[in-house]
Amino acid sequence: MTAHRVWRFGDNIDTDVLAPGIYMKKPIAEIAAHCLEAVEPRFAKEVRPGDVVVGGRGFGMGSSREQAVEALLQLGVVAVLALSFGGIFYRNALNYGLLALASSDIHRIRQDDLVVVDGVAGTVIDETTGERLTCEKLPPHLLAMIADGGLVPHLEKRFARQGAQA
Amino acid sequence: MVQTLAEKLIARAAGHHSVASGDVVTCHVDLAMIHDSGGPRRAKPILDRLGVKVWDPKKIVVVTDHFVPAYDTETATIQKLTRDWVADQRVPNFYDMQGICHVVLPERGHFKPGMFVVGGDSHSPTGGAFGLYMFGVGATEMAGVLATGEIWLRVPETILIECEGQLSPGVAAKDVMLHLCARLGMDGGRYQAVQYVGGTVTALPMTERMTLCNMAAELGAQTGLIAPDATTVDYIRAAGADPGDIARWQGDAEAVPAERHRVDATALAPQVAAPHSPANSAPVADVGAVQIDRAYIGACTGAKLVDLHMAASVLKGRRIASNVRLLVAPASTRIAAQAAADGTLATLTEAGAILLASGCGACAGYGSGLLSEGEVCIASTARNFKGRMGATTAQVYLGSPYTVAASAVAGRIADPRPLLAEHAS
Ligand code: SF4
């Protein structure tokens, strides 16, 4: 499995810093250009496809705006790891196929570490430090949805089945 | 089986006799609420891709409130798309520029105890004040609801907030919530159900109860809940709707909550949250003499009629400080009309307030009245995250409408109680 470079953030990264309201009328590319700039101006400029974002407590708390998730995906972020998540952000992330894993060992991951993430097993291996983190397991119905590529492809399958039956 | 109110509401929607916390269930949605920002603009491409129409137009309410009024071609385009979609999908309940969704729906009689409601907005727990289960989701998940009429949910534990005693003059539901944000933290709700009980809650009008449930979002809860009573019934009847049987929507007395927290309302002082989190709350006396440039009375949390009355009780016969701008955005057009009729708006404008349209306004950077670099504001809104009201260097404090009004008069963050006492004497 590929190792991903870590961007480390602290507690309470909210949806207003992930997708600032003043850009919410704009297309996603423009929102993404300002993602997290209030806390780390380098992020949107220097993040590379395949990177992973690591937060602390309450990652994604606040608004229901799923541009908070979309902006990260737009920038190529493949997973978000945190101590805990805002409930709506967490659902949004999985609906969009962005892996969101909660772990009580998250403090062991540092900026620029290389990590391998296994969503199905619920593990994160920090290759830089050799640490192995256990994450909360995702329930089966969500793993099935993620395997389909997110909520919309999952619904597409459902409606296609219904159409075939009709 | 012994059940909490949350469990009873979810069991009914899931078609089960009973459910227990931790169960993952699929619920039938009685009502879906969407607004201009996260609604049609985002759901339309998904429904088009799925090749379906909405599952039941009568069970959908659409509100324009975030980009109200449109102020450039981008926001005007979003509003137009919303109107066109409503017409295309034949959605009968559309409130165009009539106020903020969380306030407009109860005002127009869409809520009744026992319902299961999904809102495309994070402050959707507001509806829980009516003894119904309501929570917020993102736009894609809402598109799924619009397509299927269903949503999954993990049955939450109940976190009980027991509030006893009478709030002092100048102290409001907003202060209770800021105090709880500081005490429990913004993830203290653990995405569970926060239920408010006790004499303080029973004595509050529906609009203040709505503030308690609204800010369950700031506690990180999935929803806020208050069991329906005579106050609920009166409000719903006055809104022209039938409250139905409220006896069924009470939690069992033997049901054991996961956590209990007590609040002594009598001892509570006005609270102020310092930048950039509602969890940075403390009694106003601890905040010190912070000079302000702006005072804002607005949002679903802080611009209902009761909130405007609070502000007016402080501002009556006074002028705001010359270096302060006070902006007021009544939460709905109906509230604005009531406040015009009872003289509240005149009190506010005579004190120097500038009125904005009924909508989200400056609350979250979508509308007008934003802050520039380094400006200091005290607002009656629910959140003061960095950059939320405009520039990232702006400093936003939160307080009740009493505290915001008193601060506008003083030109710095101020305790409203001395000003109210002067009026009383
Ligand atoms: S007033 Fe503010 S908190 Fe309420 S719905 Fe609008 S943006 Fe959200």
Side-chain angles (χ1 to χ4, degrees), chain A residues 25-166:
Chain A
K25 59 182 183 174
K26 303 283 188 185
I28 190 61
E30 211 171 326
I31 300 175
H34 299 280
C35 180
L36 289 162
E37 75 179 355
V39 290
E40 177 48 88
R42 286 189 310 126
F43 176 74
K45 296 185 192 82
E46 296 178 19
V47 64
R48 290 192 303 258
D51 286 357
V52 160
V53 164
V54 179
R57 199 177 284 284
F59 191 96
M61 65 182 192
S63 160
S64 64
R65 67 188 74 161
E66 63 186 2
Q67 286 89 338
V69 167
E70 244 185 318
L72 292 171
L73 284 169
Q74 175 81 19
L75 296 169
V77 171
V78 291
V80 185
L81 315 174
L83 184 63
S84 63
F85 289 95
I88 306 179
F89 177 90
Y90 181 76
R91 291 180 74 121
N92 287 346
L94 300 178
N95 287 337
Y96 252 91
L98 175 67
L99 201 53
L101 291 174
S103 170
S104 53
D105 297 326
I106 211 72
H107 57 275
R108 300 208 212 134
I109 305 181
R110 307 164 311 180
Q111 173 71 27
D112 295 323
D113 281 0
L114 291 175
V115 294
V116 174
V117 181
D118 185 337
V120 179
T123 57
V124 175
I125 292 162
D126 189 325
E127 291 199 330
T128 313
T129 61
E131 297 259 15
R132 188 175 183 283
L133 279 65
T134 312
C135 305
E136 279 172 31
K137 278 245 162 70
L138 292 168
H141 75 287
L142 289 180
L143 283 174
M145 184 184 80
I146 295 166
D148 285 344
L151 179 61
V152 177
H154 187 65
L155 286 172
E156 261 180 327
K157 258 171 97 174
R158 171 170 161 176
F159 281 112
R161 259 200 323 270
Q162 283 176 1
Q165 279 164 7

